[in-house]
Amino acid sequence: SAVISQKPSRDICQRGTSLTIQCQVDSQVTMMFWYRQQPGQSLTLIATANQGSEATYESGFVIDKFPISRPNLTFSTLTVSNMSPEDSSIYLCSVEPGQGNGYTFGSGTRLTVV
Amino acid sequence: KQEVTQIPAALSVPEGENLVLNCSFTDSAIYNLQWFRQDPGKGLTSLLLIQSSQREQTSGRLNASLDKSSGRSTLYIAASQPGDSATYLCAVSRGNQFYFGTGTSLTVIP
């Protein structure tokens, strides 16, 4: 199955700034997914990123707040823009399942906004 | 909309005990069900994947079962160890959408 390198692993950011999270996959994948996990809650899908097209956002998430890039089949970034303390969460990327391999997730980015 | 529920929300057991974690889902039209482990502040580690045509999967001390008709899955952990302490999440998928349960926080007491 695919291996994902996600960075940074954690960061503490000032209110009003932006943070870009990167995910690098060791194989080519068509779709990548970005998730948020708020404290004490399960994962919520933010958006689905296909190479060569704009990301598809879930209800409650907008491109201006969470712009996503997908420049090629092995890499994607998620930016958390104009951050507030409510954005403090773990952010994870995931790739589409291979044949019988299930979903693979990055190790997550723990974001704290102060 | 698919809803995934995990019971119990938290579980504390003495080392060596066998235990069962439960996952239920409302829409049986799923492709896969996957169990994950999450350590505090970390991402997800895939434990077991059960495809919709399968009934169970085993890996070491872990065994997961799937009953689509009743919308249930169980994760059985044999001879629990303190290193098993983590949050366990189940997720069901259909097409490009998948849905996570809220997790069971497991503590194994030495």
Side-chain angles (χ1 to χ4, degrees), chain A residues 71-102:
Chain A
N72 57 52
L73 291 173
T74 63
F75 187 78
S76 179
T77 67
L78 170 76
T79 299
V80 186
S81 303
N82 188 25
M83 289 184 285
S84 66
E86 291 72 32
D87 294 320
S88 297
S89 298
I90 298 175
Y91 293 85
L92 300 103
C93 62
S94 175
V95 297
E96 65 171 306
Q99 198 68 7
N101 291 332

PDB file of all heavy atoms in Angstrom, chain A residues 71-102:
ATOM      1  N   PRO A  71      -0.589  19.576  -7.640  1.00  0.00           N
ATOM      2  CA  PRO A  71       0.167  19.808  -8.870  1.00  0.00           C
ATOM      3  C   PRO A  71       0.523  18.546  -9.651  1.00  0.00           C
ATOM      4  O   PRO A  71       0.783  18.629 -10.858  1.00  0.00           O
ATOM      5  CB  PRO A  71       1.441  20.492  -8.358  1.00  0.00           C
ATOM      6  CG  PRO A  71       1.598  20.001  -6.958  1.00  0.00           C
ATOM      7  CD  PRO A  71       0.201  19.855  -6.437  1.00  0.00           C
ATOM      8  N   ASN A  72       0.576  17.404  -8.982  1.00  0.00           N
ATOM      9  CA  ASN A  72       0.891  16.154  -9.673  1.00  0.00           C
ATOM     10  C   ASN A  72       0.257  14.993  -8.918  1.00  0.00           C
ATOM     11  O   ASN A  72      -0.475  15.199  -7.942  1.00  0.00           O
ATOM     12  CB  ASN A  72       2.413  15.979  -9.804  1.00  0.00           C
ATOM     13  CG  ASN A  72       3.105  16.022  -8.463  1.00  0.00           C
ATOM     14  OD1 ASN A  72       2.752  15.309  -7.533  1.00  0.00           O
ATOM     15  ND2 ASN A  72       4.109  16.893  -8.347  1.00  0.00           N
ATOM     16  N   LEU A  73       0.533  13.783  -9.378  1.00  0.00           N
ATOM     17  CA  LEU A  73      -0.152  12.605  -8.833  1.00  0.00           C
ATOM     18  C   LEU A  73       0.448  12.091  -7.523  1.00  0.00           C
ATOM     19  O   LEU A  73      -0.024  11.096  -6.984  1.00  0.00           O
ATOM     20  CB  LEU A  73      -0.143  11.476  -9.877  1.00  0.00           C
ATOM     21  CG  LEU A  73      -1.017  11.712 -11.104  1.00  0.00           C
ATOM     22  CD1 LEU A  73      -0.801  10.613 -12.139  1.00  0.00           C
ATOM     23  CD2 LEU A  73      -2.487  11.804 -10.727  1.00  0.00           C
ATOM     24  N   THR A  74       1.497  12.753  -7.017  1.00  0.00           N
ATOM     25  CA  THR A  74       2.114  12.279  -5.776  1.00  0.00           C
ATOM     26  C   THR A  74       2.144  13.319  -4.667  1.00  0.00           C
ATOM     27  O   THR A  74       2.677  13.070  -3.590  1.00  0.00           O
ATOM     28  CB  THR A  74       3.566  11.808  -6.030  1.00  0.00           C
ATOM     29  OG1 THR A  74       4.344  12.940  -6.473  1.00  0.00           O
ATOM     30  CG2 THR A  74       3.619  10.705  -7.079  1.00  0.00           C
ATOM     31  N   PHE A  75       1.583  14.485  -4.899  1.00  0.00           N
ATOM     32  CA  PHE A  75       1.771  15.576  -3.945  1.00  0.00           C
ATOM     33  C   PHE A  75       0.518  16.434  -3.836  1.00  0.00           C
ATOM     34  O   PHE A  75      -0.190  16.657  -4.824  1.00  0.00           O
ATOM     35  CB  PHE A  75       2.959  16.439  -4.398  1.00  0.00           C
ATOM     36  CG  PHE A  75       3.358  17.503  -3.415  1.00  0.00           C
ATOM     37  CD1 PHE A  75       4.096  17.187  -2.293  1.00  0.00           C
ATOM     38  CD2 PHE A  75       3.006  18.831  -3.634  1.00  0.00           C
ATOM     39  CE1 PHE A  75       4.489  18.168  -1.392  1.00  0.00           C
ATOM     40  CE2 PHE A  75       3.386  19.823  -2.746  1.00  0.00           C
ATOM     41  CZ  PHE A  75       4.135  19.487  -1.624  1.00  0.00           C
ATOM     42  N   SER A  76       0.251  16.918  -2.625  1.00  0.00           N
ATOM     43  CA  SER A  76      -0.853  17.850  -2.409  1.00  0.00           C
ATOM     44  C   SER A  76      -0.541  18.715  -1.198  1.00  0.00           C
ATOM     45  O   SER A  76       0.201  18.297  -0.293  1.00  0.00           O
ATOM     46  CB  SER A  76      -2.167  17.102  -2.185  1.00  0.00           C
ATOM     47  OG  SER A  76      -3.240  18.010  -1.962  1.00  0.00           O
ATOM     48  N   THR A  77      -1.085  19.916  -1.193  1.00  0.00           N
ATOM     49  CA  THR A  77      -0.987  20.789  -0.027  1.00  0.00           C
ATOM     50  C   THR A  77      -2.363  21.280   0.366  1.00  0.00           C
ATOM     51  O   THR A  77      -3.244  21.458  -0.480  1.00  0.00           O
ATOM     52  CB  THR A  77      -0.076  22.007  -0.272  1.00  0.00           C
ATOM     53  OG1 THR A  77      -0.689  22.864  -1.235  1.00  0.00           O
ATOM     54  CG2 THR A  77       1.300  21.595  -0.745  1.00  0.00           C
ATOM     55  N   LEU A  78      -2.530  21.493   1.660  1.00  0.00           N
ATOM     56  CA  LEU A  78      -3.715  22.124   2.226  1.00  0.00           C
ATOM     57  C   LEU A  78      -3.247  23.336   3.011  1.00  0.00           C
ATOM     58  O   LEU A  78      -2.350  23.223   3.854  1.00  0.00           O
ATOM     59  CB  LEU A  78      -4.456  21.169   3.162  1.00  0.00           C
ATOM     60  CG  LEU A  78      -5.578  21.779   4.002  1.00  0.00           C
ATOM     61  CD1 LEU A  78      -6.810  22.022   3.152  1.00  0.00           C
ATOM     62  CD2 LEU A  78      -5.930  20.893   5.194  1.00  0.00           C
ATOM     63  N   THR A  79      -3.828  24.496   2.731  1.00  0.00           N
ATOM     64  CA  THR A  79      -3.505  25.707   3.490  1.00  0.00           C
ATOM     65  C   THR A  79      -4.679  26.050   4.385  1.00  0.00           C
ATOM     66  O   THR A  79      -5.827  26.043   3.934  1.00  0.00           O
ATOM     67  CB  THR A  79      -3.189  26.877   2.547  1.00  0.00           C
ATOM     68  OG1 THR A  79      -2.048  26.534   1.747  1.00  0.00           O
ATOM     69  CG2 THR A  79      -2.885  28.140   3.334  1.00  0.00           C
ATOM     70  N   VAL A  80      -4.395  26.317   5.626  1.00  0.00           N
ATOM     71  CA  VAL A  80      -5.395  26.818   6.558  1.00  0.00           C
ATOM     72  C   VAL A  80      -5.159  28.322   6.655  1.00  0.00           C
ATOM     73  O   VAL A  80      -4.104  28.753   7.150  1.00  0.00           O
ATOM     74  CB  VAL A  80      -5.293  26.149   7.938  1.00  0.00           C
ATOM     75  CG1 VAL A  80      -6.454  26.598   8.835  1.00  0.00           C
ATOM     76  CG2 VAL A  80      -5.275  24.633   7.804  1.00  0.00           C
ATOM     77  N   SER A  81      -6.104  29.105   6.156  1.00  0.00           N
ATOM     78  CA  SER A  81      -5.897  30.543   5.987  1.00  0.00           C
ATOM     79  C   SER A  81      -6.539  31.346   7.110  1.00  0.00           C
ATOM     80  O   SER A  81      -7.540  30.926   7.700  1.00  0.00           O
ATOM     81  CB  SER A  81      -6.496  30.999   4.648  1.00  0.00           C
ATOM     82  OG  SER A  81      -5.939  30.287   3.576  1.00  0.00           O
ATOM     83  N   ASN A  82      -5.936  32.511   7.392  1.00  0.00           N
ATOM     84  CA  ASN A  82      -6.504  33.446   8.365  1.00  0.00           C
ATOM     85  C   ASN A  82      -6.973  32.699   9.610  1.00  0.00           C
ATOM     86  O   ASN A  82      -8.147  32.732   9.978  1.00  0.00           O
ATOM     87  CB  ASN A  82      -7.655  34.222   7.733  1.00  0.00           C
ATOM     88  CG  ASN A  82      -8.158  35.347   8.616  1.00  0.00           C
ATOM     89  OD1 ASN A  82      -7.417  35.861   9.460  1.00  0.00           O
ATOM     90  ND2 ASN A  82      -9.408  35.725   8.435  1.00  0.00           N
ATOM     91  N   MET A  83      -6.052  32.029  10.236  1.00  0.00           N
ATOM     92  CA  MET A  83      -6.388  31.093  11.301  1.00  0.00           C
ATOM     93  C   MET A  83      -6.938  31.763  12.556  1.00  0.00           C
ATOM     94  O   MET A  83      -6.549  32.889  12.917  1.00  0.00           O
ATOM     95  CB  MET A  83      -5.161  30.260  11.663  1.00  0.00           C
ATOM     96  CG  MET A  83      -4.784  29.256  10.580  1.00  0.00           C
ATOM     97  SD  MET A  83      -3.414  28.209  11.064  1.00  0.00           S
ATOM     98  CE  MET A  83      -2.060  29.366  10.873  1.00  0.00           C
ATOM     99  N   SER A  84      -7.823  31.040  13.211  1.00  0.00           N
ATOM    100  CA  SER A  84      -8.363  31.431  14.516  1.00  0.00           C
ATOM    101  C   SER A  84      -8.197  30.239  15.445  1.00  0.00           C
ATOM    102  O   SER A  84      -7.943  29.116  14.989  1.00  0.00           O
ATOM    103  CB  SER A  84      -9.833  31.820  14.391  1.00  0.00           C
ATOM    104  OG  SER A  84     -10.605  30.695  14.029  1.00  0.00           O
ATOM    105  N   PRO A  85      -8.354  30.434  16.744  1.00  0.00           N
ATOM    106  CA  PRO A  85      -8.219  29.301  17.677  1.00  0.00           C
ATOM    107  C   PRO A  85      -9.135  28.124  17.347  1.00  0.00           C
ATOM    108  O   PRO A  85      -8.794  26.973  17.648  1.00  0.00           O
ATOM    109  CB  PRO A  85      -8.562  29.931  19.029  1.00  0.00           C
ATOM    110  CG  PRO A  85      -8.123  31.341  18.884  1.00  0.00           C
ATOM    111  CD  PRO A  85      -8.459  31.710  17.464  1.00  0.00           C
ATOM    112  N   GLU A  86     -10.266  28.400  16.706  1.00  0.00           N
ATOM    113  CA  GLU A  86     -11.195  27.328  16.342  1.00  0.00           C
ATOM    114  C   GLU A  86     -10.621  26.382  15.286  1.00  0.00           C
ATOM    115  O   GLU A  86     -11.154  25.293  15.062  1.00  0.00           O
ATOM    116  CB  GLU A  86     -12.507  27.913  15.827  1.00  0.00           C
ATOM    117  CG  GLU A  86     -13.360  28.612  16.881  1.00  0.00           C
ATOM    118  CD  GLU A  86     -12.763  29.933  17.327  1.00  0.00           C
ATOM    119  OE1 GLU A  86     -12.105  30.616  16.491  1.00  0.00           O
ATOM    120  OE2 GLU A  86     -12.923  30.300  18.512  1.00  0.00           O
ATOM    121  N   ASP A  87      -9.562  26.802  14.626  1.00  0.00           N
ATOM    122  CA  ASP A  87      -8.910  25.948  13.628  1.00  0.00           C
ATOM    123  C   ASP A  87      -7.928  24.968  14.262  1.00  0.00           C
ATOM    124  O   ASP A  87      -7.351  24.129  13.558  1.00  0.00           O
ATOM    125  CB  ASP A  87      -8.168  26.810  12.597  1.00  0.00           C
ATOM    126  CG  ASP A  87      -9.116  27.645  11.752  1.00  0.00           C
ATOM    127  OD1 ASP A  87     -10.187  27.123  11.370  1.00  0.00           O
ATOM    128  OD2 ASP A  87      -8.785  28.822  11.479  1.00  0.00           O
ATOM    129  N   SER A  88      -7.741  25.060  15.550  1.00  0.00           N
ATOM    130  CA  SER A  88      -6.839  24.128  16.233  1.00  0.00           C
ATOM    131  C   SER A  88      -7.395  22.711  16.116  1.00  0.00           C
ATOM    132  O   SER A  88      -8.483  22.420  16.620  1.00  0.00           O
ATOM    133  CB  SER A  88      -6.686  24.524  17.707  1.00  0.00           C
ATOM    134  OG  SER A  88      -6.093  25.800  17.826  1.00  0.00           O
ATOM    135  N   SER A  89      -6.666  21.852  15.435  1.00  0.00           N
ATOM    136  CA  SER A  89      -7.135  20.495  15.132  1.00  0.00           C
ATOM    137  C   SER A  89      -5.947  19.671  14.663  1.00  0.00           C
ATOM    138  O   SER A  89      -4.843  20.189  14.477  1.00  0.00           O
ATOM    139  CB  SER A  89      -8.180  20.508  14.001  1.00  0.00           C
ATOM    140  OG  SER A  89      -9.336  21.226  14.332  1.00  0.00           O
ATOM    141  N   ILE A  90      -6.227  18.397  14.430  1.00  0.00           N
ATOM    142  CA  ILE A  90      -5.285  17.563  13.687  1.00  0.00           C
ATOM    143  C   ILE A  90      -5.793  17.493  12.253  1.00  0.00           C
ATOM    144  O   ILE A  90      -6.969  17.219  12.021  1.00  0.00           O
ATOM    145  CB  ILE A  90      -5.171  16.159  14.291  1.00  0.00           C
ATOM    146  CG1 ILE A  90      -4.641  16.232  15.717  1.00  0.00           C
ATOM    147  CG2 ILE A  90      -4.275  15.268  13.429  1.00  0.00           C
ATOM    148  CD1 ILE A  90      -4.615  14.893  16.429  1.00  0.00           C
ATOM    149  N   TYR A  91      -4.899  17.739  11.308  1.00  0.00           N
ATOM    150  CA  TYR A  91      -5.243  17.674   9.895  1.00  0.00           C
ATOM    151  C   TYR A  91      -4.520  16.466   9.294  1.00  0.00           C
ATOM    152  O   TYR A  91      -3.321  16.268   9.518  1.00  0.00           O
ATOM    153  CB  TYR A  91      -4.851  18.963   9.175  1.00  0.00           C
ATOM    154  CG  TYR A  91      -5.677  20.140   9.630  1.00  0.00           C
ATOM    155  CD1 TYR A  91      -5.325  20.861  10.761  1.00  0.00           C
ATOM    156  CD2 TYR A  91      -6.824  20.522   8.940  1.00  0.00           C
ATOM    157  CE1 TYR A  91      -6.102  21.927  11.206  1.00  0.00           C
ATOM    158  CE2 TYR A  91      -7.600  21.591   9.364  1.00  0.00           C
ATOM    159  CZ  TYR A  91      -7.237  22.288  10.504  1.00  0.00           C
ATOM    160  OH  TYR A  91      -8.011  23.337  10.941  1.00  0.00           O
ATOM    161  N   LEU A  92      -5.273  15.672   8.536  1.00  0.00           N
ATOM    162  CA  LEU A  92      -4.693  14.467   7.946  1.00  0.00           C
ATOM    163  C   LEU A  92      -5.007  14.392   6.459  1.00  0.00           C
ATOM    164  O   LEU A  92      -6.097  14.775   6.032  1.00  0.00           O
ATOM    165  CB  LEU A  92      -5.244  13.196   8.612  1.00  0.00           C
ATOM    166  CG  LEU A  92      -5.009  13.033  10.104  1.00  0.00           C
ATOM    167  CD1 LEU A  92      -6.269  13.354  10.885  1.00  0.00           C
ATOM    168  CD2 LEU A  92      -4.575  11.610  10.416  1.00  0.00           C
ATOM    169  N   CYS A  93      -4.060  13.872   5.704  1.00  0.00           N
ATOM    170  CA  CYS A  93      -4.326  13.580   4.305  1.00  0.00           C
ATOM    171  C   CYS A  93      -4.466  12.071   4.145  1.00  0.00           C
ATOM    172  O   CYS A  93      -3.952  11.298   4.963  1.00  0.00           O
ATOM    173  CB  CYS A  93      -3.233  14.125   3.396  1.00  0.00           C
ATOM    174  SG  CYS A  93      -1.605  13.429   3.693  1.00  0.00           S
ATOM    175  N   SER A  94      -5.144  11.690   3.100  1.00  0.00           N
ATOM    176  CA  SER A  94      -5.388  10.276   2.841  1.00  0.00           C
ATOM    177  C   SER A  94      -5.412  10.059   1.340  1.00  0.00           C
ATOM    178  O   SER A  94      -5.695  10.982   0.578  1.00  0.00           O
ATOM    179  CB  SER A  94      -6.732   9.863   3.456  1.00  0.00           C
ATOM    180  OG  SER A  94      -7.063   8.535   3.131  1.00  0.00           O
ATOM    181  N   VAL A  95      -5.102   8.842   0.928  1.00  0.00           N
ATOM    182  CA  VAL A  95      -5.137   8.544  -0.491  1.00  0.00           C
ATOM    183  C   VAL A  95      -6.168   7.464  -0.769  1.00  0.00           C
ATOM    184  O   VAL A  95      -6.545   6.691   0.107  1.00  0.00           O
ATOM    185  CB  VAL A  95      -3.761   8.113  -1.024  1.00  0.00           C
ATOM    186  CG1 VAL A  95      -2.782   9.259  -0.869  1.00  0.00           C
ATOM    187  CG2 VAL A  95      -3.257   6.854  -0.337  1.00  0.00           C
ATOM    188  N   GLU A  96      -6.596   7.437  -2.029  1.00  0.00           N
ATOM    189  CA  GLU A  96      -7.625   6.490  -2.438  1.00  0.00           C
ATOM    190  C   GLU A  96      -7.136   5.064  -2.248  1.00  0.00           C
ATOM    191  O   GLU A  96      -5.948   4.797  -2.338  1.00  0.00           O
ATOM    192  CB  GLU A  96      -7.949   6.712  -3.909  1.00  0.00           C
ATOM    193  CG  GLU A  96      -6.766   6.387  -4.824  1.00  0.00           C
ATOM    194  CD  GLU A  96      -7.156   6.391  -6.291  1.00  0.00           C
ATOM    195  OE1 GLU A  96      -8.089   5.694  -6.647  1.00  0.00           O
ATOM    196  OE2 GLU A  96      -6.491   7.113  -7.031  1.00  0.00           O
ATOM    197  N   PRO A  97      -8.043   4.174  -1.996  1.00  0.00           N
ATOM    198  CA  PRO A  97      -7.632   2.801  -1.775  1.00  0.00           C
ATOM    199  C   PRO A  97      -7.133   2.150  -3.043  1.00  0.00           C
ATOM    200  O   PRO A  97      -7.669   2.342  -4.112  1.00  0.00           O
ATOM    201  CB  PRO A  97      -8.904   2.111  -1.288  1.00  0.00           C
ATOM    202  CG  PRO A  97     -10.013   2.952  -1.808  1.00  0.00           C
ATOM    203  CD  PRO A  97      -9.490   4.359  -1.823  1.00  0.00           C
ATOM    204  N   GLY A  98      -6.074   1.394  -2.904  1.00  0.00           N
ATOM    205  CA  GLY A  98      -5.630   0.550  -4.002  1.00  0.00           C
ATOM    206  C   GLY A  98      -6.475  -0.709  -4.015  1.00  0.00           C
ATOM    207  O   GLY A  98      -7.431  -0.829  -3.259  1.00  0.00           O
ATOM    208  N   GLN A  99      -6.124  -1.640  -4.803  1.00  0.00           N
ATOM    209  CA  GLN A  99      -6.912  -2.860  -4.927  1.00  0.00           C
ATOM    210  C   GLN A  99      -6.813  -3.675  -3.649  1.00  0.00           C
ATOM    211  O   GLN A  99      -5.839  -4.359  -3.384  1.00  0.00           O
ATOM    212  CB  GLN A  99      -6.406  -3.667  -6.118  1.00  0.00           C
ATOM    213  CG  GLN A  99      -7.379  -4.703  -6.623  1.00  0.00           C
ATOM    214  CD  GLN A  99      -8.615  -4.105  -7.266  1.00  0.00           C
ATOM    215  OE1 GLN A  99      -8.711  -2.897  -7.466  1.00  0.00           O
ATOM    216  NE2 GLN A  99      -9.578  -4.922  -7.567  1.00  0.00           N
ATOM    217  N   GLY A 100      -7.852  -3.581  -2.829  1.00  0.00           N
ATOM    218  CA  GLY A 100      -7.884  -4.370  -1.611  1.00  0.00           C
ATOM    219  C   GLY A 100      -6.978  -3.880  -0.516  1.00  0.00           C
ATOM    220  O   GLY A 100      -6.778  -4.568   0.479  1.00  0.00           O
ATOM    221  N   ASN A 101      -6.419  -2.677  -0.650  1.00  0.00           N
ATOM    222  CA  ASN A 101      -5.473  -2.192   0.349  1.00  0.00           C
ATOM    223  C   ASN A 101      -6.084  -1.257   1.378  1.00  0.00           C
ATOM    224  O   ASN A 101      -5.461  -0.972   2.397  1.00  0.00           O
ATOM    225  CB  ASN A 101      -4.312  -1.461  -0.332  1.00  0.00           C
ATOM    226  CG  ASN A 101      -3.426  -2.406  -1.114  1.00  0.00           C
ATOM    227  OD1 ASN A 101      -3.328  -3.572  -0.777  1.00  0.00           O
ATOM    228  ND2 ASN A 101      -2.800  -1.902  -2.149  1.00  0.00           N
ATOM    229  N   GLY A 102      -7.270  -0.766   1.134  1.00  0.00           N
ATOM    230  CA  GLY A 102      -7.857   0.151   2.097  1.00  0.00           C
ATOM    231  C   GLY A 102      -7.229   1.530   2.013  1.00  0.00           C
ATOM    232  O   GLY A 102      -6.286   1.768   1.271  1.00  0.00           O
TER     233      GLY A 102
END
